[in-house]
Each structure stands twice: as C-alpha cells, then as structure tokens.
Amino acid sequence: LQEVAAQRLEQVPRYSVRHEGPDHAREFYAEVKLDGVVRGHGEGRSKKQAEQEAAREAWAWLETEAATDAGTA
C-alpha cells in the first residue's frame, strides 16, 4: 500500500489505531487515510492485524480508483 500510494498519490498512508478492553482481551481498531480521507477500516486482536485489514480496504479503493481513472482518461 505504501509503495502504490507513494506512486499514485505522492504520499504515504497515515494510520490511526485505538484499542479497547482489558490486556488479556484487547481489541484493536485501525483507520488508514489516503489523501486526507479515511479509505480503510480494520479491527483485530493485534495492532498489526487491524492495520493490515485497513490497508486491504484502502488497497481495494486505490485499485478501483485507478480503474476508474483509466476509464476516463
């Protein structure tokens, strides 16, 4: 995601992560912003898992956006 965002948008994704619950049952929630707009959400039992899920959503958005841009060019 970082490489594609850097190529297409000339910027890197920005993640924000929060967590809830006690240490033994923590749940993480992540958002990733591209171009200043939230483009992906994720949740998981670890920070990494939540960020990866958010990155997959943002990647899908980028791929859709690229296909749309190619169709209009």
Side-chain angles (χ1 to χ4, degrees), residues 4-25:
V4 174
Q7 274 183 332
R8 295 185 188 169
L9 304 174
E10 297 182 2
Q11 61 178 269
V12 294
R14 300 284 179 206
Y15 292 88
S16 61
V17 180
R18 66 180 174 83
H19 58 80
E20 295 178 359
D23 289 345
H24 67 280

Side-chain angles (χ1 to χ4, degrees), residues 6-54:
Q7 274 183 332
R8 295 185 188 169
L9 304 174
E10 297 182 2
Q11 61 178 269
V12 294
R14 300 284 179 206
Y15 292 88
S16 61
V17 180
R18 66 180 174 83
H19 58 80
E20 295 178 359
D23 289 345
H24 67 280
R26 190 130 358 235
E27 195 70 32
F28 290 85
Y29 302 91
E31 288 183 339
V32 62
K33 288 185 178 183
L34 293 170
D35 208 18
V37 178
V38 175
R39 299 295 184 188
H41 295 88
E43 62 182 77
R45 301 287 295 158
S46 70
K47 178 180 175 183
K48 180 179 177 179
Q49 186 179 25
E51 286 178 333
Q52 286 177 333
E53 191 175 308

